[in-house]
Amino acid sequence: MVTDPDHFDALADELRGDLRRPGDAGYDEARQVWNARIDRHPAAIARCAGTADVMAAVDFARERDVRLAVKGGGHHVSGAAVCEDGLVIDLGDLDGIRVDPDARRVRVGGGATWGQVDHETQAFGLATPGGQDPDIGVGGLTLGGGVGWLSPKYGLACDNLVSADVVTADGDLVQASADEHPDLFWALRGGGGNLGVVTSFEFALHPVGPEIFAGSLVYPFERTVEVGRFYREFAAEAPREVRLLFGSMVLPDSDYYPAAVRDTRVAMLIAFYAGPPTEGEAVLAPLRERGDPLMDSLQARTYAGYQRAGHAGGAMRTDLRSQYVEAPTDAVLETVADSAADAPSAGATVFVSPWLGAETDPAPDATAYPHRDPAHHVLVEARWTDPARDDEHVAWVRECQEALRPHATGAVEANFLADVDSEERLRAAYGDNYDRLVDVKTDWDPTNLFKQNQNVESRGSADR
């Protein structure tokens, strides 16, 4: 494997974009990702200016047996976007977005973020399901499935993918769609970064906004289980326009919140209605009348503004785990409350969301993403700044995960897998689609060049 940075001179000569190496301006910024626990030092980072640069970088890595990583938004907890002592293909400059409002389609560069997409599509009153943080990369979220506020109504990000331009392990550019390379297209929709480098995505768009109805209901923490029952009852009958979250967090010390709840752990419901605000206000009225909340911020808002409100801030030390439960039973709600009560810091949260509506419409084998049975997703997340507190935060996430395990379905989200997860959890992320995904991987990447990810290994690649 090439490790001497001087060996990359040949690649630098081929690129229109920059090749950043240790000591170069911008190198440290380019190797940073959302999870600050990741501190890897690539031998080189190719800041690609176009598809030709991506093709050249893939060829270089394949021909010289260089470890390869692909960075879009760099927002995955595993930090898979960067590798130690290898080559990173940085797609950040491939962020062009072109909206066709008549066809209700948008073409998105592989380095774009969801905030950029929303900005462009909302100019035409259109949107596609995407991440709830504007800094999340389009590529990583979509390739792993991709849930957002619009998903109960319009499905996952991968369900709205119409076509993709892909640089394969051979360094070729192909387009994958239902009509062209349908096997590759199937695998891209949920198979993660295992198949190649997607330089462009085409999505279906839907009429959304510009105003929607959304906000939060905040309650004292000691009422967490009771609030969870409100969530359970309302989610069971809610129309597809509603996405509802229940959980616990510490609210910021901000004038936006009543003094009684600032810098305080609370129970809360977060509700979103993907339709006219007047409809949303009527639909969510029964939920607002329950339990006398300390704060009710549900109101008409712009969709783009609400998406921006999900900004999680810059890089912080992060650990998270997720799993599905069949139903938010009282035992599950009590576990959520007990775990939140033991949270080690203000950045530790537990949230539950229903997996219903359009998210569950496709057959489990329609895409590589397999989780189509109705359920409830539980996300346990910790974010902190002090490296000396790593162990206690990681332990808290694991303990909460174990406490929920007796109630779990066994399904796992690929977009929330960490780099230390077992093969068992990897297989659970793809369910019964795993073997078919291995077949497609073997056809398109037989030597497992694209392995810096939630890796599905090609058959026989370990012997090469």
Side-chain angles (χ1 to χ4, degrees):
M1 179 175 290
V2 174
T3 56
D4 185 346
D6 291 341
H7 287 240
F8 288 86
D9 289 346
L11 176 59
D13 291 340
E14 288 192 61
L15 299 180
R16 181 162 62 93
D18 295 331
L19 188 72
R20 299 173 182 176
R21 287 172 270 193
D24 289 347
Y27 169 83
D28 284 326
E29 179 184 2
R31 71 182 183 85
Q32 186 182 67
V33 291
W34 175 72
N35 184 355
R37 292 174 67 204
I38 307 300
D39 186 27
R40 298 181 185 136
H41 296 76
I45 301 171
R47 183 80 176 184
C48 296
T51 299
D53 284 359
V54 176
M55 296 167 71
V58 168
D59 284 340
F60 180 90
R62 184 189 65 254
E63 292 167 0
R64 292 165 175 79
D65 190 27
V66 175
R67 177 174 286 276
L68 185 64
V70 181
K71 183 181 181 185
H75 210 274
H76 199 281
V77 65
S78 70
V82 291
C83 57
E84 189 70 33
D85 198 27
L87 174 64
V88 173
I89 293 177
D90 187 339
L91 302 176
D93 287 340
L94 275 69
D95 61 354
I97 299 166
R98 181 171 59 83
V99 180
D100 183 339
D102 294 329
R104 290 186 179 173
R105 295 287 188 268
V106 60
R107 175 66 67 174
V108 180
T113 63
W114 285 107
Q116 293 171 318
V117 173
D118 293 333
H119 177 78
E120 297 297 330
T121 61
Q122 276 293 280
F124 304 95
L126 300 170
T128 195
Q132 294 169 195
D133 182 330
D135 289 340
I136 292 175
V138 169
L141 185 93
T142 301
L143 295 176
V147 66
W149 293 114
L150 298 174
S151 292
K153 177 69 172 176
Y154 296 120
L156 304 181
C158 73
D159 297 332
N160 287 271
L161 186 64
V162 176
S163 69
D165 292 341
V166 188
V167 176
T168 69
D170 291 332
D172 298 327
L173 177 67
V174 303
Q175 184 172 85
S177 68
D179 299 319
E180 297 181 82
H181 306 298
D183 60 332
L184 178 60
F185 185 58
W186 175 89
L188 289 171
R189 290 173 293 160
N194 278 286
L195 287 308
V197 185
V198 180
T199 58
S200 179
F201 298 83
E202 182 187 9
F203 294 101
L205 293 171
H206 309 277
V208 174
E211 284 198 329
I212 47 83
F213 193 79
S216 302
L217 300 170
V218 176
Y219 307 83
F221 176 71
E222 57 268 21
R223 297 178 59 193
T224 298
V225 173
E226 179 188 3
V227 175
R229 292 179 183 136
F230 299 164
Y231 159 85
R232 180 174 65 201
E233 294 165 10
F234 192 84
E237 302 295 334
R240 290 183 172 217
E241 287 79 6
V242 173
R243 178 162 167 79
L244 182 65
L245 278 67
F246 149 71
S248 173
M249 65 178 291
V250 173
L251 294 178
D253 187 5
S254 165
D255 291 344
Y256 177 78
Y257 300 102
V261 296
R262 294 176 201 163
D263 198 25
T264 300
R265 182 163 292 279
V266 297
M268 66 191 309
L269 297 170
I270 305 175
F272 175 95
Y273 186 83
T278 53
E279 288 183 10
E281 186 171 14
V283 169
L284 294 174
L287 186 66
R288 306 173 79 182
E289 293 165 1
R290 299 286 299 273
D292 191 22
L294 297 172
M295 177 181 178
D296 179 346
S297 68
L298 286 164
Q299 59 183 291
R301 308 167 183 266
T302 65
Y303 174 73
Y306 196 65
Q307 286 285 80
R308 288 194 297 271
H311 177 54
M316 291 180 66
R317 307 183 77 79
T318 304
D319 191 53
L320 58 80
R321 287 291 185 276
S322 77
Q323 55 191 321
Y324 290 94
V325 297
E326 289 187 7
T329 63
D330 278 3
V332 169
L333 301 178
E334 289 164 3
T335 300
V336 168
D338 291 344
S339 296
D342 293 334
S345 68
T349 63
V350 186
F351 273 94
V352 185
S353 57
W355 204 250
L356 301 168
E359 297 154 318
T360 64
D361 283 347
D365 61 355
T367 62
Y369 184 90
H371 308 307
R372 302 299 188 170
D373 293 330
H376 293 260
H377 183 246
V378 186
L379 178 62
V380 182
E381 181 177 13
R383 303 199 77 205
W384 67 100
T385 57
D386 184 358
R389 301 192 66 188
D390 283 3
D391 289 348
E392 64 179 304
H393 284 87
V394 171
W396 175 77
V397 171
R398 301 302 189 277
E399 288 165 5
C400 185
Q401 175 91 353
E402 287 302 314
L404 287 164
R405 192 178 298 278
H407 314 287
T409 65
V412 175
E413 278 287 309
N415 275 344
F416 295 125
L417 284 174
D419 58 350
V420 296
D421 274 315
S422 65
E423 183 178 352
E424 178 185 7
R425 279 179 61 82
L426 175 68
R427 285 179 172 269
Y430 301 115
D432 292 339
N433 292 337
Y434 185 83
D435 288 340
R436 180 179 174 186
L437 190 55
V438 170
D439 289 340
V440 181
K441 169 76 170 181
T442 302
D443 288 342
W444 287 93
D445 183 15
T447 64
N448 202 24
L449 176 66
F450 300 110
K451 58 177 175 285
Q452 183 76 13
N453 46 46
Q454 289 64 58
N455 190 232
V456 175
E457 195 166 332
S458 312
R459 286 194 173 89
S461 62
D463 301 326
R464 290 182 168 89

